[in-house]
Amino acid sequence: MARHVLLVDSRPANGATAAFDDWYDREHLPHLLGLAEIVSSRRYRAEPSIYGEMPAFEHLAVHEIDTDDLSGVFDRIRAGRPTMSPAFERGGPGLAFVQIGEQSSPDPVVTGSDQHLLLVQTQPVEGRDDEFNDWYDNFHLPHVLAVPGFVSVRRFETRPGPDGALATHRYMSLYELRTNDHEATMDGLRAAAVGLRAAKSPAAGPGDIHRSYALVGAMPPLPA
């Protein structure tokens, strides 16, 4: 059975943060997790990424879905008619991805207990996916995972979301970080990026997207 993720960007409407958080945790997530295929949901809040990037919608939900019929899961979500809160403002269509790989740091340097997520979207040069993926998996990822604070990474490929939308980039990586000093971890990544840019594969296209988040909640709760 394939592992998928559904990413949803959002923010509180008109500054109604308390109502937004209450609806998300007490109504929306329990409704989604009522489907057997949705195995967990995590909520994140944006923080400055490697080059200071911040998304317009500061909240991200990552829903983990185990299924070989993703469109069927989306049909059942719609059939359940979830009630949307007036405090919820969605940042565009939900984006879906299927997992294509996973790596862990062989000797992670954990610099704290706080959990963070680095989301990176990438695009290969047209027709050079195999070359790009070989470089990314066997060169790029091990170098990033050597940065203190980085623990593991999962790679994904875009799939149609609930509204049929595809991500602008074909591939996405979700890096898991454990650090109590996120800024220092981004400093370490910037230092590593100098060498990574010099050794970038000609099969890698331009325009990578980087977004960083701090974990604010999960259902079911994540291990400490």
Side-chain angles (χ1 to χ4, degrees):
M1 186 178 296
R3 169 58 60 96
H4 300 78
V5 292
L6 173 64
L7 306 187
V8 179
D9 291 315
S10 63
R11 63 188 177 194
N14 302 314
T17 302
F20 171 88
D21 288 336
D22 184 72
W23 167 79
Y24 225 115
D25 292 338
R26 294 177 179 271
E27 295 186 36
H28 190 56
L29 293 187
H31 170 81
L32 293 177
L33 291 166
L35 293 178
E37 296 91 344
I38 302 181
V39 297
S40 69
S41 294
R42 303 183 193 184
R43 292 185 57 210
Y44 296 89
R45 183 172 292 113
E47 55 193 351
S49 193
I50 179 172
Y51 301 116
E53 308 97 316
M54 286 287 288
F57 288 78
E58 67 270 28
H59 291 265
L60 173 71
V62 180
H63 307 295
E64 306 268 346
I65 305 172
D66 285 345
T67 184
D68 291 324
D69 181 17
L70 188 61
S71 62
V73 174
F74 294 151
D75 287 341
R76 288 190 287 281
I77 292 174
R78 286 188 289 267
R81 297 184 179 181
T83 301
M84 306 309 289
S85 169
F88 172 79
E89 183 180 355
R90 190 170 74 165
L95 298 178
F97 301 83
V98 63
Q99 185 169 327
I100 59 172
E102 183 174 11
Q103 291 188 36
S104 296
S105 173
D107 189 21
V109 180
V110 176
T111 58
S113 59
D114 291 348
Q115 301 184 42
H116 302 259
L117 183 77
L118 175 64
L119 183 159
V120 181
Q121 291 178 266
T122 55
Q123 182 75 10
V125 173
E126 190 64 33
R128 301 179 72 174
D129 287 57
D130 289 347
E131 182 183 354
F132 170 77
N133 286 323
D134 180 69
W135 166 79
Y136 205 90
D137 290 339
N138 296 306
F139 180 83
H140 185 81
L141 294 185
H143 280 77
V144 174
L145 289 173
V147 175
F150 281 77
V151 175
S152 63
V153 61
R154 292 184 293 161
R155 290 196 66 213
F156 298 84
E157 186 174 356
T158 185
R159 291 292 185 269
D163 303 318
L166 288 168
T168 57
H169 293 56
R170 188 172 306 157
Y171 297 106
M172 177 186 70
S173 298
L174 294 180
Y175 295 89
E176 300 284 345
L177 286 67
R178 292 290 186 98
T179 177
N180 291 347
D181 190 343
H182 181 260
E183 184 176 351
T185 302
M186 291 298 100
D187 287 342
L189 182 58
R190 279 189 291 272
V194 175
L196 289 171
R197 281 196 299 269
K200 188 172 183 178
S201 170
D208 294 355
I209 296 173
H210 302 82
R211 291 158 60 184
S212 292
Y213 298 90
L215 180 73
V216 297
M219 288 187 180
L222 296 175

